[in-house]
Amino acid sequence: TGFESGSLDANWFTTSTGAGGRIQVHATGVLNYLGDTAVSHTGNFFLGLDDTGSGPILNTQEAWMGLDLLGRTGVELEFWWAEWNDETHIEDGIFFSDDGGLSFIKVLNLDGDNQTDLSWRFFSLNVDSICMMNNLSLSSTFVVKFQQHDNYFLAGGNDGFLFDDISVTWFNPACQND
């Protein structure tokens, strides 16, 4: 998804540990602060995770993408990520679940401290390999969780994550040439 509908579809679930947590699709150019502007990687929209609070309490924002991967092979997850002055927290990252979100395993750290603000970075994850290393199965209730932990907001507090152009692909033997 490139979020070009301007909203999350039915495959997404969002939650935050605090009332100020915000997980929403933003339009390019709407979030501005001191000459910096958040823009999508491609198209006109991106997914943002931040917290509208401005205090010492840290909250965790989660965007869950539900997938039916039962019987799939050669599964790849690709996405673009940017951060806006976000400090690195142990809770920041990408997580997998094969049981519908009852339990998660962190599979990728997202290190905001060592990134250039608002610069998009590409990730490609071999889901089959990661699952094999972590004793997970490609199930009908598979969840990929995109997670950010902080206490300030995009465009002003300048804390948050941006995601765009998320895709999940797999090998289809019916398309293989003989």
Side-chain angles (χ1 to χ4, degrees):
T1 182
F3 306 103
E4 293 307 301
S5 69
S7 63
L8 295 173
D9 65 29
N11 292 320
W12 289 90
F13 168 79
T14 63
T15 186
S16 176
T17 58
R22 181 169 57 176
I23 306 100
Q24 71 180 54
V25 175
H26 296 276
T28 287
V30 171
L31 301 174
N32 302 288
Y33 185 70
L34 297 178
D36 289 328
T37 302
V39 298
S40 60
H41 174 255
T42 61
N44 298 308
F45 295 92
F46 62 87
L47 177 65
L49 281 66
D50 66 342
D51 189 284
T52 59
S54 59
I57 298 174
L58 294 141
N59 290 308
T60 302
Q61 288 59 249
E62 303 176 8
W64 297 19
M65 181 176 59
L67 302 166
D68 181 353
L69 298 179
L70 188 63
R72 306 291 184 199
T73 60
V75 179
E76 295 285 329
L77 168 66
E78 297 181 340
F79 64 93
W80 289 84
W81 168 72
E83 61 79 40
W84 198 349
N85 200 37
D86 203 87
E87 307 86 17
T88 300
H89 297 279
I90 192 70
E91 297 88 345
D92 296 338
I94 306 301
F95 299 77
F96 287 176
S97 170
D98 64 358
D99 59 11
L102 295 175
S103 62
F104 283 96
I105 292 179
K106 186 176 189 179
V107 298
L108 179 67
N109 290 313
L110 293 175
D111 182 8
D113 281 334
N114 293 309
Q115 302 301 315
T116 302
D117 288 347
L118 298 174
S119 293
W120 288 100
R121 182 173 172 198
F122 177 72
F123 290 90
S124 180
L125 305 179
N126 182 314
V127 176
D128 295 62
S129 294
I130 293 170
C131 285
M132 187 178 303
M133 288 185 306
N134 290 285
N135 201 27
L136 296 171
S137 62
L138 297 174
S139 68
S140 62
T141 58
F142 200 86
V143 177
V144 176
K145 179 170 62 168
F146 300 82
Q147 184 168 293
Q148 183 259 357
H149 182 79
D150 220 314
N151 58 337
Y152 282 98
F153 50 97
L154 294 164
N158 285 14
D159 270 344
F161 285 174
L162 295 72
F163 293 96
D164 204 359
D165 299 321
I166 299 170
S167 70
V168 178
T169 58
W170 52 81
F171 176 72
N172 184 347
C175 294
Q176 186 176 15
N177 293 329
D178 290 327

